[in-house]
Amino acid sequence: MATAAIIGTAGYVGQETLDRLLAHPSLEPIALGSDSLAGRPAGAPDPRLNGSLPPFVPKAEAAASGADVLFLCLDHAEAIAFSPPADAVVVDLSGGHRLVDPAQAEAWYGAAPGAWSYGLPELYPAHGRLIANPGCYATAALLALGPLAGVVDGAVIDAKSGMTGAGKSLKASSHAGFVLENFSPYAVGAHRHAPEIGQQLGFPVCFVPHLLPVRRGLLATCYVTTDADVRGLLEAAYATSELVRVLPEGVTPELSRVQSTDTAELGVFTDGATGTAIVICALDNLGKGAAGQAVQNANLALGLDETAGLRLAGVTV
């Protein structure tokens, strides 16, 4: 049985990661790190958790627990400043290391060359023990567009995410009074996921995110111009995937099928008037867009079954 520690367990992503570890047959949570909840029982934020889990401890203590894998559920600055043990697998769910040069990340962590990588398993399998987990928007866009790299030279991405994508920190734009009965774009032309997406694809993207008045779920509609067989490329890329499904012709992805799962749906269409290819991806921003993908990356790094502990419901249409 491998062991895991969560550094920053109190937030949405930390709790979702814990949920998956509780269902994992081969990865046991032994340390729950949270400075704000240190000393309190594991059931403090969720009374459904039984008494078998250890109480919360300070994040530094969790990091020193000797766990085989550490999940960093921290904000970007904290993740950059974090100093992990030399022998642990680290899956960083923040954006702190997604855009840095790998050598810079390795220098920060005192790791050997090649230890740090960006891990989207279906397209960019991680190598080494330091893994940058992709952002939720980036995951959806890359699943839709990654197999098309080389046959397109640009894309427009119109994306929408549920409120949990903004995290638990209080801000005016995530208050119920602002979000409910409303629908709004944000960070237009300046969102941090745009360069992350472009970095992996190798071409620039026009990316506009929007806030949906729902708790969870993300949908990205991507527009490209190409003569290539888009459906064929996507079907070939995900033919053996248990987590990503290219839907039959005419079937559109839906949030309701992927919410609270670690799966993703892709729909492929062509605009009759312009010939524009349209690829739509739906996933759960806390699942395949965060905690589910982090556990998937950890499974691969530790040599465990790739889908162990994950929520596969919702793949079949």
Side-chain angles (χ1 to χ4, degrees):
M1 178 73 76
T3 57
I6 303 173
I7 316 302
T9 321
Y12 291 131
V13 172
Q15 287 290 294
E16 290 282 326
T17 302
L18 177 57
D19 284 348
R20 283 151 183 79
L21 295 182
L22 292 175
H24 203 296
S26 308
L27 192 54
E28 178 186 7
I30 62 168
L32 308 180
S34 171
D35 291 344
S36 63
L37 294 174
R40 300 184 66 187
D46 187 345
R48 293 172 297 178
L49 298 180
N50 61 36
S52 62
L53 288 171
F56 288 101
V57 297
K59 287 182 282 193
E61 185 176 331
S65 64
D68 298 308
V69 59
L70 307 181
F71 294 96
L72 300 191
C73 303
L74 305 171
D75 65 30
H76 311 327
E78 277 190 290
I80 290 173
F82 182 76
S83 297
D87 56 350
V89 171
V90 177
V91 184
D92 181 3
L93 287 85
S94 83
H97 293 99
R98 294 173 189 152
L99 284 171
V100 301
D101 181 88
Q104 185 180 13
E106 288 150 9
W108 277 333
Y109 283 0
W116 189 268
S117 60
Y118 184 91
L120 201 170
E122 290 78 11
L123 298 174
Y124 319 108
H127 56 80
R129 65 178 187 84
L130 306 175
I131 302 168
N133 209 59
C136 54
Y137 280 125
T139 296
L142 292 172
L143 289 176
L145 298 172
L148 309 184
V151 301
V152 299
D153 55 14
V156 174
I157 304 167
D158 186 319
K160 297 96 174 170
S161 176
M163 297 164 60
T164 50
K168 274 189 175 180
S169 298
L170 295 178
K171 54 183 75 72
S173 60
S174 61
H175 287 179
F178 176 85
V179 177
L180 299 181
E181 304 299 327
N182 194 13
F183 179 58
S184 60
Y186 63 98
V188 178
H191 196 281
R192 66 179 184 273
H193 283 182
E196 178 186 347
I197 296 165
Q199 170 185 265
Q200 296 304 126
L201 292 176
F203 57 77
V205 298
C206 176
F207 172 71
V208 180
H210 302 72
L211 184 61
L212 281 174
V214 299
R215 284 182 292 180
R216 59 195 304 158
L218 186 157
L219 191 143
T221 303
C222 307
Y223 304 88
V224 297
T225 301
T226 180
D227 293 327
D229 178 8
V230 173
R231 173 172 288 277
L233 290 170
L234 291 169
E235 288 179 342
Y238 305 119
T240 62
S241 175
E242 295 185 64
L243 298 171
V244 182
R245 168 81 184 277
V246 180
L247 301 176
E249 289 191 29
V251 180
T252 57
E254 294 183 8
L255 291 189
S256 62
R257 287 195 296 263
V258 297
Q259 285 170 321
S260 297
T261 79
D262 297 320
T263 63
E265 294 184 351
L266 292 168
V268 185
F269 302 87
T270 302
D271 179 70
T274 65
T276 302
I278 304 168
V279 184
I280 305 169
C281 180
L283 52 78
D284 190 307
N285 57 291
L286 296 176
K288 181 59 175 166
Q293 186 144 265
V295 173
Q296 185 183 1
N297 274 318
N299 286 340
L300 293 170
L302 295 171
L304 305 176
D305 178 74
E306 181 176 358
T307 62
L310 302 186
R311 302 171 182 172
L312 303 182
V315 175
T316 302
V317 177

